Amino acid sequence: MNRKTLVLPAVVGLLAPVLAACGGSDSGSGDGDAIVVGTTDRFTTEEAPAPLDPAYAYDVGAWNILRQTSQTLMVQPRGDGEPVPEAAEKCGFTDTGSERYACTLRDGLEFANGDPVTAEDVKYSFERAVKINADTQVASLLSTVDTIETKGDREVIFHLNTADATFPFKLTTPVAGIVNPDDYAKDKVREGFEVSGSGPYTMKAEVDGDEMTKAVFTKNPNYKGSLTVNNDKVEIVSFDDADAMGKAIEKGDIDVMTRAMTPDQIQQLSKATDSEVDLVEVSGLEIRYLGFKTDAPTVKDKAVRKAMAQLINRDKLVAAVYGSQAKPLYSMVPAGITGHSNSFFNKYGDPSVDKAKEMLEDADITTPIKLTMHYTTDHYGSATKPEFEQLQKQLNDSGLFDVDIKGTPWKTFNLAERKGEYDVYGMGWFPDFPDADSFTAPFLDKKNTLNSPYANPKIIDDLIPKSRAEADRLSAVDILTDIQDITAEDVPLIPLWQGKQYVATRDDVTGTAYLLNSSSSIQLWELGRGVSD
């Protein structure tokens, strides 16, 4: 069959999904009528005893589980745009200063077990996340909440401690998921892989030792919300690597392949003209960056970090490892988001050994500078190792650095980074919501998600609050540019690249064009069975 292209309306500067490489229609899943989705995300309690508690979870894999089960007051709409009510019947600011936000719950809302969902349950859920204050720093998304008021069983009023025009977006994130007080203690996390809520699905985990190998989602008969659920059962299966996942979709053992495919897999699927597997390409907001423990002896001097920023050649990095699947990024705020600015290019221009050498000489720093860059071997895909080999080569070829690289599995890497064990490390970021605040505050605000020692008072006390006060995000552009310019000057982080998002699917599965939303989150309810055109 000829290659297919599906073009959907583009919104807020983001490109619409493109569907390519269509094949026949005789594929099937490995378990009856369940739609089976593959992932290389791993879920373990070895290092994180409560990986699926909304008050603890703060990574894209765990959030992809919770978004199916834990209902939120608001939800991101199909495609893109402003949040719309989900568990709520209506929500909105009731003042002109974006400091009082009121929601009315849908009538008859129930948890999956039949218990009623009340305004007190919403209040309990938010206050619980703040009280637990997990070391993942997910509660920082609720930092602008001062007090919560309830009126009757259905009205919830959030009184904010400062103006926050992004608050409706925060209500779409799993930390804002409504939990049943009978299942979730007020002052401690819920350990293990059990989840319960009022979302479109219930979930049962299949576990091997301390690891969840499969999540089985069954349509929740008590669900009352804004989402249309197009299937009765979906399974998410974890694979050791992308090659094993690729073989499974070729055999028909799984129906959909998500993150993280290899660049070679994506290239092969994009070129195929006669295949039973389709490729869906979505212009993504995923970014990759280097992080620094800015008080570590090796990188404490800002000149060292600035020299690295001056040396890294993003064009060569992307071309060597990712090709057309990514593009160089010169700011933590990616292209396509209001407020994006190429601050690192404006500051450093083209890569230059001479300029980097001058920076280090002016700071009386002896070269070569010896340091280790750490990366995770199994969380962002198999291309991470060659990416860090390329970064290592660029820095060492300058003669100014003597860099080693070390890869570690995510379950160890993630905890070690939060404990401050790495001076330099590579991370990826999928936004909490599609706004510049989600690419700045999580890294630069108080209690940042990296537990970074970097703290700039102007950013924390002045610029972030001013940005959040602007309901019209275009009015916040100058403020956001200032944040990005300061980041380029101080270099607590170095943005590297912005990637596209891909889903591979057997061609009897429908709804894959909307499987990923603009925050790269999976929406399993969109999937169905049928024959692709």
Side-chain angles (χ1 to χ4, degrees):
M1 186 179 294
N2 293 329
R3 187 177 302 175
K4 300 181 296 188
T5 301
L6 174 64
V7 180
L8 301 177
V11 185
V12 194
L14 299 178
L15 298 179
V18 176
L19 186 61
C22 171
S25 59
D26 58 350
S27 60
S29 73
D31 186 16
D33 57 0
I35 298 173
V36 185
V37 178
T39 182
T40 57
D41 284 324
R42 311 301 290 273
F43 308 93
T44 176
T45 57
E46 181 178 350
E47 302 291 345
L52 299 181
D53 189 320
Y56 180 89
Y58 202 12
D59 68 83
V60 66
W63 274 21
N64 281 339
I65 301 294
L66 291 174
R67 287 187 188 276
Q68 325 307 319
T69 55
S70 297
Q71 194 175 21
T72 49
L73 292 170
M74 303 287 281
V75 70
Q76 290 184 42
R78 252 188 168 200
D80 202 2
E82 297 293 317
V84 296
E86 177 19 12
E89 180 181 277
K90 61 180 180 179
C91 283
F93 285 106
T94 60
D95 65 340
T96 58
S98 300
E99 293 184 3
R100 186 180 189 275
Y101 196 82
C103 293
T104 301
L105 296 180
R106 293 179 185 272
D107 191 21
L109 207 63
E110 295 179 346
F111 290 107
N113 67 357
D115 290 347
V117 176
T118 68
E120 283 296 327
D121 295 326
V122 176
K123 180 180 179 181
Y124 178 93
S125 302
F126 279 76
E127 291 180 343
R128 173 179 181 269
V130 172
K131 179 179 177 64
I132 290 174
N133 193 25
D135 62 4
T136 59
Q137 303 300 340
V138 69
S140 64
L141 285 167
L142 307 179
S143 63
T144 57
V145 176
D146 186 14
T147 60
I148 303 173
E149 175 187 0
T150 63
K151 290 185 178 182
D153 287 338
R154 295 177 56 200
E155 189 172 0
V156 185
I157 303 169
F158 298 91
H159 298 277
L160 308 183
N161 52 36
T162 186
D164 188 1
T166 68
F167 190 65
F169 282 105
K170 294 172 181 176
L171 293 182
T172 71
T173 63
V175 70
I178 306 168
V179 303
N180 190 331
D182 291 343
D183 297 328
Y184 293 83
K186 188 172 187 176
D187 56 355
K188 63 180 180 180
V189 294
R190 183 179 184 179
E191 297 186 357
F193 298 108
E194 286 189 293
V195 297
S196 55
S198 55
Y201 295 96
T202 60
M203 192 280 283
K204 181 177 180 181
E206 294 187 12
V207 179
D208 182 7
D210 60 11
E211 187 167 350
M212 182 174 72
T213 57
K214 181 189 291 187
V216 180
F217 297 91
T218 303
K219 187 175 180 180
N220 175 12
N222 293 326
Y223 170 69
K224 296 179 180 67
S226 63
L227 305 174
T228 299
V229 183
N230 295 313
N231 56 69
D232 293 323
K233 187 176 182 181
V234 184
E235 299 173 357
I236 291 183
V237 180
S238 293
F239 287 86
D240 290 338
D241 53 53
D243 288 339
M245 184 168 61
K247 291 176 181 176
I249 199 169
E250 288 176 6
K251 292 168 58 179
D253 292 339
I254 64 175
D255 300 294
V256 180
M257 181 164 64
T258 58
R259 63 183 304 271
M261 289 181 272
T262 67
D264 285 345
Q265 285 175 326
I266 294 167
Q267 185 177 30
Q268 290 172 11
L269 285 170
S270 68
K271 291 180 178 179
T273 57
D274 186 13
S275 172
E276 293 182 348
V277 180
D278 306 332
L279 182 70
V280 180
E281 173 190 309
V282 182
S283 181
L285 298 177
E286 174 190 7
I287 67 170
R288 298 287 172 84
Y289 62 95
L290 288 179
F292 296 97
K293 184 184 178 185
T294 53
D295 60 0
T298 56
V299 294
K300 184 176 182 179
D301 196 311
K302 183 167 64 174
V304 174
R305 307 192 303 269
K306 294 177 75 170
M308 293 177 69
Q310 184 64 70
L311 289 170
I312 291 173
N313 189 321
R314 294 167 177 80
D315 288 318
K316 284 187 176 180
L317 173 66
V318 169
V321 182
Y322 296 101
S324 62
Q325 299 161 27
K327 58 184 178 182
L329 182 64
Y330 296 92
S331 166
M332 292 298 289
V333 179
I337 291 291
T338 299
H340 164 75
S341 173
N342 289 316
S343 296
F344 273 77
F345 186 82
N346 297 338
K347 176 70 177 177
Y348 299 100
D350 293 326
S352 171
V353 174
D354 290 340
K355 288 182 180 179
K357 183 178 180 181
E358 184 178 353
M359 291 174 182
L360 297 172
E361 288 177 346
D362 289 346
D364 293 324
I365 294 173
T366 303
T367 59
I369 301 163
K370 187 172 180 59
L371 55 83
T372 300
M373 295 194 303
H374 295 263
Y375 66 93
T376 176
T377 56
D378 59 353
H379 193 62
Y380 301 118
S382 60
T384 307
K385 181 179 180 180
E387 176 182 344
F388 271 74
E389 290 172 341
Q390 176 64 211
L391 288 169
Q392 178 189 37
K393 176 175 169 43
Q394 290 185 14
L395 294 170
N396 289 349
D397 284 354
S398 72
L400 302 174
F401 286 86
D402 180 10
V403 173
D404 289 326
I405 59 173
K406 183 177 181 180
T408 308
W410 176 252
K411 64 183 180 182
T412 303
F413 176 92
N414 189 31
L415 185 62
E417 184 280 314
R418 293 205 308 270
K419 288 182 175 179
E421 296 179 9
Y422 301 149
D423 295 359
V424 188
Y425 51 90
M427 293 283 279
W429 183 250
F430 298 83
D432 303 324
F433 47 88
D435 184 274
D437 187 80
S438 190
F439 294 93
T440 51
F443 312 108
L444 305 172
D445 206 352
K446 290 176 289 189
K447 296 183 178 180
N448 61 78
T449 186
L450 298 175
N451 284 334
S452 170
Y454 175 75
N456 185 295
K458 183 171 180 60
I459 291 177
I460 294 171
D461 300 327
D462 181 27
L463 296 177
I464 288 177
K466 281 184 178 178
S467 166
R468 288 173 173 168
E470 297 291 348
D472 179 358
R473 302 311 283 160
L474 287 172
S475 299
V477 167
D478 289 345
I479 302 168
L480 294 165
T481 299
D482 287 346
I483 294 174
Q484 292 164 86
D485 288 346
I486 292 172
T487 306
E489 170 61 31
D490 290 352
V491 200
L493 309 151
I494 298 180
L496 297 173
W497 55 265
Q498 173 180 351
K500 299 175 182 177
Q501 298 297 299
Y502 296 90
V503 174
T505 172
R506 302 287 297 189
D507 64 4
D508 69 334
V509 177
T510 62
T512 50
Y514 291 106
L515 178 61
L516 294 177
N517 67 13
S518 57
S519 295
S520 305
S521 296
I522 290 177
Q523 303 176 140
L524 295 180
W525 54 86
E526 295 285 357
L527 297 177
R529 290 284 188 193
V531 179
S532 301
D533 295 328

